[in-house]
Amino acid sequence: MENNKFEEIRPYMDDEISAAMDRIAGSTSFPLLASYVFPDRNIDEVRSEVRSYKTIHDFQMGIMYWANRKIIKDSTASFTCGGMENISPSSSHLYVSNHRDIMLDAALFQNVLVDNGHDTTEITFGANLMQGQIVIDIGKSNKMFKVARPGGSVREFYKSSLLLSEYMRHVITEKHQSVWIAQRNGRTKDGKDRTDQGIIKMLCMSHSDDKVKAIADLNIVPVSVSYEWESCDILKTVELYERQFGPYIKKPGEDLNSILTGITQYKGNVHFEVCKPLCFDELNKFSDLTSVDFHKAVANLLDQRICSSYHLYPNNYIAHDILYANKKYSAMYSSEEKDAFMHRMNKLQKYEVECDMDKLYEIFLGIYANPVDSKSQMSEVR
């Protein structure tokens, strides 16, 4: 029986799946969702199959796996992974990943795991996204647990952070299941993958008497995901531009638009690299540091793994050469690849009336160019 203290954030259990499947199959949104995942199948047949699912595994393997396969088939040129030798199917891990797409970083990683003989993970799911019964049912049936966003009183945020920390430790060390979490709150918008030290602080909260053991016991595995064409690159560019002029306020439906854009936008080549886990010996080197410095050191360790394992594409080198007005990386791309990149960047021209185009282009180029510098810097540190 799941610990009652986690009732508000936990995913569904198997005995809750039948009722959730009935609600999903009966939803007015079901025909649209089913027709996307299974365009060649009869809707009533799919509805009947969904209602027959009794376990989380049934739902994940019957629907979510194939939904991810559809996204991969329709919007990628290749889908590859590396580093699977770094993990064992018999061990539970905390996968800490860079965060480029609201949904796909975690979702597509599940297919990487399944295709290589591993179980799926539990997945963090922002409370801001867990809206509407069908979204809640799909998310919780897909091992997703709720994460509160910063807001409210300091006391409330502390309590929710402690609960989250305790829950993830419970899942990994007692349920012996793995967990996926992003390295920061919110997606990387500027192409600089950096771990929020607050994430490390939160992980330590549930084992405050020994900071090294607190991290070591979670079996942290950094994951680096790279998209040839950055998810929502145009939308991210405009957001970063608007943030220059004051606090950014999300527009109604903006998160949903980003999710749908991420799903449908062509991503080209996509690569997941499973990095070497953080081991006790390397963490123990930081044992004499203050808690603040320890959190910073662990975050830097994650950044070194993630950035140095990031898979660079011609687009990254093209953007770097254009941004810095040189030909340093000209051997890494062709004229045809540069033309394709320029065509993509020129889609920003629809904002020329309200935006400074030079600044807009600079931001866009930075999104693609920054991973080149990050990889170089972190590789040198290693």
Side-chain angles (χ1 to χ4, degrees), residues 17 23 30 55 60 77 94 117 129 143 248 261 284 301-302 326 334 350 357 373 377:
I17 292 298
R23 289 192 297 269
F30 183 81
T55 67
Q60 288 194 315
L94 175 61
L129 300 177
K143 290 186 176 180
Y248 182 78
T261 300
N284 201 40
L301 200 57
L302 285 165
N326 59 40
S334 66
K350 65 181 179 180
M357 292 308 295
D373 292 329
Q377 294 163 4

mmCIF file of all heavy atoms in Angstrom, residues 17 23 30 55 60 77 94 117 129 143 248 261 284 301-302 326 334 350 357 373 377:
data_model
loop_
_atom_site.group_PDB
_atom_site.id
_atom_site.type_symbol
_atom_site.label_atom_id
_atom_site.label_comp_id
_atom_site.label_asym_id
_atom_site.label_seq_id
_atom_site.Cartn_x
_atom_site.Cartn_y
_atom_site.Cartn_z
ATOM 1 N N ILE A 17 -6.442 1.749 -12.173
ATOM 2 C CA ILE A 17 -6.323 1.883 -13.624
ATOM 3 C C ILE A 17 -7.652 1.640 -14.355
ATOM 4 O O ILE A 17 -8.000 2.380 -15.284
ATOM 5 C CB ILE A 17 -5.229 0.938 -14.169
ATOM 6 C CG1 ILE A 17 -3.858 1.407 -13.678
ATOM 7 C CG2 ILE A 17 -5.254 0.879 -15.694
ATOM 8 C CD1 ILE A 17 -3.455 2.791 -14.137
ATOM 9 N N ARG A 23 -12.711 6.375 -17.801
ATOM 10 C CA ARG A 23 -12.873 7.821 -17.975
ATOM 11 C C ARG A 23 -12.180 8.305 -19.245
ATOM 12 O O ARG A 23 -12.715 9.139 -19.979
ATOM 13 C CB ARG A 23 -12.304 8.562 -16.755
ATOM 14 C CG ARG A 23 -13.127 8.398 -15.486
ATOM 15 C CD ARG A 23 -12.677 9.373 -14.403
ATOM 16 N NE ARG A 23 -11.308 9.143 -13.977
ATOM 17 C CZ ARG A 23 -10.952 8.354 -12.976
ATOM 18 N NH1 ARG A 23 -11.884 7.658 -12.313
ATOM 19 N NH2 ARG A 23 -9.694 8.230 -12.626
ATOM 20 N N PHE A 30 -11.234 11.636 -26.590
ATOM 21 C CA PHE A 30 -10.664 10.330 -26.927
ATOM 22 C C PHE A 30 -10.566 10.076 -28.427
ATOM 23 O O PHE A 30 -9.523 9.596 -28.899
ATOM 24 C CB PHE A 30 -11.460 9.203 -26.265
ATOM 25 C CG PHE A 30 -10.869 7.850 -26.513
ATOM 26 C CD1 PHE A 30 -9.802 7.397 -25.760
ATOM 27 C CD2 PHE A 30 -11.362 7.029 -27.531
ATOM 28 C CE1 PHE A 30 -9.231 6.153 -26.003
ATOM 29 C CE2 PHE A 30 -10.807 5.788 -27.774
ATOM 30 C CZ PHE A 30 -9.727 5.347 -27.010
ATOM 31 N N THR A 55 -3.699 -2.670 -15.716
ATOM 32 C CA THR A 55 -2.476 -2.288 -15.011
ATOM 33 C C THR A 55 -1.810 -1.102 -15.699
ATOM 34 O O THR A 55 -2.079 -0.800 -16.871
ATOM 35 C CB THR A 55 -1.464 -3.446 -14.964
ATOM 36 O OG1 THR A 55 -1.009 -3.712 -16.303
ATOM 37 C CG2 THR A 55 -2.086 -4.702 -14.363
ATOM 38 N N GLN A 60 0.790 1.635 -20.489
ATOM 39 C CA GLN A 60 2.022 2.169 -21.057
ATOM 40 C C GLN A 60 2.432 1.437 -22.333
ATOM 41 O O GLN A 60 2.823 2.061 -23.317
ATOM 42 C CB GLN A 60 3.150 2.088 -20.023
ATOM 43 C CG GLN A 60 2.995 3.089 -18.885
ATOM 44 C CD GLN A 60 4.256 3.238 -18.071
ATOM 45 O OE1 GLN A 60 4.905 2.250 -17.702
ATOM 46 N NE2 GLN A 60 4.622 4.468 -17.762
ATOM 47 N N ALA A 77 14.282 12.266 -38.032
ATOM 48 C CA ALA A 77 14.998 11.592 -39.120
ATOM 49 C C ALA A 77 15.691 10.346 -38.587
ATOM 50 O O ALA A 77 15.804 9.336 -39.275
ATOM 51 C CB ALA A 77 16.026 12.546 -39.736
ATOM 52 N N LEU A 94 17.902 7.584 -10.273
ATOM 53 C CA LEU A 94 17.302 8.895 -10.474
ATOM 54 C C LEU A 94 17.960 9.476 -11.718
ATOM 55 O O LEU A 94 19.137 9.836 -11.696
ATOM 56 C CB LEU A 94 17.543 9.817 -9.272
ATOM 57 C CG LEU A 94 17.056 11.259 -9.458
ATOM 58 C CD1 LEU A 94 15.553 11.312 -9.704
ATOM 59 C CD2 LEU A 94 17.431 12.126 -8.273
ATOM 60 N N GLY A 117 15.412 -3.062 -22.814
ATOM 61 C CA GLY A 117 15.149 -4.049 -21.773
ATOM 62 C C GLY A 117 15.007 -3.520 -20.372
ATOM 63 O O GLY A 117 15.113 -4.283 -19.401
ATOM 64 N N LEU A 129 0.664 21.868 -15.303
ATOM 65 C CA LEU A 129 0.250 21.111 -16.491
ATOM 66 C C LEU A 129 -0.822 20.073 -16.164
ATOM 67 O O LEU A 129 -1.514 19.593 -17.067
ATOM 68 C CB LEU A 129 1.457 20.405 -17.114
ATOM 69 C CG LEU A 129 2.604 21.299 -17.574
ATOM 70 C CD1 LEU A 129 3.755 20.451 -18.093
ATOM 71 C CD2 LEU A 129 2.142 22.274 -18.643
ATOM 72 N N LYS A 143 2.632 6.811 -14.722
ATOM 73 C CA LYS A 143 3.641 6.921 -13.667
ATOM 74 C C LYS A 143 4.120 8.351 -13.437
ATOM 75 O O LYS A 143 5.280 8.575 -13.041
ATOM 76 C CB LYS A 143 4.864 6.042 -13.981
ATOM 77 C CG LYS A 143 4.644 4.546 -13.885
ATOM 78 C CD LYS A 143 5.981 3.851 -14.073
ATOM 79 C CE LYS A 143 5.906 2.355 -13.912
ATOM 80 N NZ LYS A 143 7.221 1.719 -14.102
ATOM 81 N N TYR A 248 7.941 38.090 -17.551
ATOM 82 C CA TYR A 248 7.226 37.423 -18.640
ATOM 83 C C TYR A 248 5.967 36.755 -18.089
ATOM 84 O O TYR A 248 6.026 36.003 -17.122
ATOM 85 C CB TYR A 248 8.121 36.370 -19.285
ATOM 86 C CG TYR A 248 7.469 35.654 -20.450
ATOM 87 C CD1 TYR A 248 7.369 36.259 -21.689
ATOM 88 C CD2 TYR A 248 6.939 34.370 -20.297
ATOM 89 C CE1 TYR A 248 6.768 35.619 -22.761
ATOM 90 C CE2 TYR A 248 6.339 33.719 -21.357
ATOM 91 C CZ TYR A 248 6.254 34.344 -22.583
ATOM 92 O OH TYR A 248 5.658 33.717 -23.637
ATOM 93 N N THR A 261 3.365 21.942 -30.253
ATOM 94 C CA THR A 261 4.438 22.312 -31.182
ATOM 95 C C THR A 261 5.595 21.338 -31.056
ATOM 96 O O THR A 261 6.174 20.895 -32.060
ATOM 97 C CB THR A 261 4.926 23.752 -30.908
ATOM 98 O OG1 THR A 261 3.833 24.655 -31.065
ATOM 99 C CG2 THR A 261 6.037 24.141 -31.872
ATOM 100 N N ASN A 284 32.104 11.813 -2.367
ATOM 101 C CA ASN A 284 32.752 11.885 -1.046
ATOM 102 C C ASN A 284 33.891 12.901 -1.015
ATOM 103 O O ASN A 284 34.276 13.384 0.054
ATOM 104 C CB ASN A 284 33.260 10.503 -0.637
ATOM 105 C CG ASN A 284 33.466 10.390 0.862
ATOM 106 O OD1 ASN A 284 32.667 10.889 1.650
ATOM 107 N ND2 ASN A 284 34.546 9.734 1.254
ATOM 108 N N LEU A 301 29.013 18.775 -11.327
ATOM 109 C CA LEU A 301 29.336 17.420 -11.772
ATOM 110 C C LEU A 301 28.309 16.940 -12.809
ATOM 111 O O LEU A 301 28.672 16.346 -13.836
ATOM 112 C CB LEU A 301 29.355 16.486 -10.566
ATOM 113 C CG LEU A 301 30.097 15.156 -10.686
ATOM 114 C CD1 LEU A 301 31.550 15.380 -11.062
ATOM 115 C CD2 LEU A 301 30.003 14.401 -9.366
ATOM 116 N N LEU A 302 27.037 17.194 -12.532
ATOM 117 C CA LEU A 302 25.982 16.849 -13.484
ATOM 118 C C LEU A 302 26.158 17.622 -14.795
ATOM 119 O O LEU A 302 26.020 17.058 -15.883
ATOM 120 C CB LEU A 302 24.612 17.158 -12.879
ATOM 121 C CG LEU A 302 24.097 16.194 -11.822
ATOM 122 C CD1 LEU A 302 22.927 16.807 -11.064
ATOM 123 C CD2 LEU A 302 23.678 14.873 -12.447
ATOM 124 N N ASN A 326 32.527 34.224 -38.118
ATOM 125 C CA ASN A 326 33.757 33.569 -38.570
ATOM 126 C C ASN A 326 33.413 32.235 -39.232
ATOM 127 O O ASN A 326 32.250 31.907 -39.394
ATOM 128 C CB ASN A 326 34.738 33.377 -37.407
ATOM 129 C CG ASN A 326 34.151 32.534 -36.276
ATOM 130 O OD1 ASN A 326 33.461 31.545 -36.512
ATOM 131 N ND2 ASN A 326 34.429 32.938 -35.032
ATOM 132 N N SER A 334 27.637 21.588 -44.458
ATOM 133 C CA SER A 334 27.640 21.843 -45.896
ATOM 134 C C SER A 334 26.863 23.123 -46.200
ATOM 135 O O SER A 334 26.138 23.647 -45.338
ATOM 136 C CB SER A 334 26.990 20.676 -46.635
ATOM 137 O OG SER A 334 25.608 20.586 -46.314
ATOM 138 N N LYS A 350 8.309 37.147 -39.493
ATOM 139 C CA LYS A 350 6.915 37.519 -39.248
ATOM 140 C C LYS A 350 6.778 38.418 -38.017
ATOM 141 O O LYS A 350 5.714 38.978 -37.773
ATOM 142 C CB LYS A 350 6.047 36.273 -39.100
ATOM 143 C CG LYS A 350 6.355 35.401 -37.898
ATOM 144 C CD LYS A 350 5.432 34.188 -37.888
ATOM 145 C CE LYS A 350 5.714 33.263 -36.712
ATOM 146 N NZ LYS A 350 4.802 32.082 -36.718
ATOM 147 N N MET A 357 14.894 42.999 -35.141
ATOM 148 C CA MET A 357 15.262 41.741 -35.798
ATOM 149 C C MET A 357 16.698 41.322 -35.517
ATOM 150 O O MET A 357 16.977 40.133 -35.402
ATOM 151 C CB MET A 357 15.021 41.842 -37.304
ATOM 152 C CG MET A 357 13.549 41.934 -37.689
ATOM 153 S SD MET A 357 12.534 40.611 -36.960
ATOM 154 C CE MET A 357 13.227 39.164 -37.771
ATOM 155 N N ASP A 373 29.760 25.936 -27.118
ATOM 156 C CA ASP A 373 30.649 26.461 -26.082
ATOM 157 C C ASP A 373 30.546 25.648 -24.799
ATOM 158 O O ASP A 373 31.562 25.378 -24.137
ATOM 159 C CB ASP A 373 30.310 27.924 -25.802
ATOM 160 C CG ASP A 373 30.656 28.836 -26.971
ATOM 161 O OD1 ASP A 373 31.616 28.523 -27.694
ATOM 162 O OD2 ASP A 373 29.956 29.846 -27.159
ATOM 163 N N GLN A 377 33.683 23.825 -23.023
ATOM 164 C CA GLN A 377 34.086 24.205 -21.665
ATOM 165 C C GLN A 377 34.053 23.017 -20.711
ATOM 166 O O GLN A 377 34.988 22.804 -19.939
ATOM 167 C CB GLN A 377 33.156 25.303 -21.140
ATOM 168 C CG GLN A 377 33.275 26.613 -21.881
ATOM 169 C CD GLN A 377 32.094 27.547 -21.653
ATOM 170 O OE1 GLN A 377 31.186 27.235 -20.862
ATOM 171 N NE2 GLN A 377 32.060 28.660 -22.346
#
